[in-house]
């Protein structure tokens, strides 16, 4: 069954960055509470591929986070 929220949301650094006001809400809406299946972070976790906390759901690195 498809979940509405990514199963990693509550431990994901994107949630923390968003709550700290450092990440725009569209990332959360489009990925974490939307099409989380398309998130590169999600795919990396599922495949045990290491990735930095500063990597956005689309795979870009944002060093300002
Ligand atoms: S950034 Fe990706 S892995 Fe993290 S909670 Fe959102 S959809 Fe899930």
């Amino acid at each position: 069954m498809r979940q509405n929220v990514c199963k990693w949301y509550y431990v994901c650094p994107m949630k923390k960055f968003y709550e700290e006001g450092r990440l725009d809400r569209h990332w959360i809406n489009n990925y974490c509470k939307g099409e989380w299946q398309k998130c590169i972070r999600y795919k990396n976790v599922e495949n045990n591929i290491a990735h930095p906390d500063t990597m956005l759901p689309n795979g870009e690195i944002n060093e300002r986070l």
Side-chain angles (χ1 to χ4, degrees):
M1 191 178 79
R2 188 183 183 280
Q3 291 176 269
N4 292 327
V5 179
C6 174
K7 67 179 179 181
W8 301 115
Y9 184 62
Y10 294 97
V11 294
C12 187
M14 294 302 121
K15 174 181 183 290
K16 182 171 79 84
F17 294 146
Y18 170 60
E19 290 176 348
E20 291 172 354
R22 297 155 69 189
L23 185 75
D24 193 275
R25 188 170 63 182
H26 79 82
W27 294 106
I28 304 299
N29 290 346
N30 291 346
Y31 286 93
C32 313
K33 297 183 178 178
E35 295 187 293
W36 45 262
Q37 308 94 322
K38 294 184 177 177
C39 175
I40 305 298
R41 299 188 61 88
Y42 177 89
K43 292 178 183 177
N44 282 355
V45 172
E46 294 295 305
N47 293 304
N48 287 319
I49 298 172
H51 51 280
D53 282 359
T54 52
M55 196 184 83
L56 295 166
N58 69 354
E60 290 178 15
I61 305 291
N62 184 343
E63 296 291 357
R64 286 172 291 146
L65 287 173

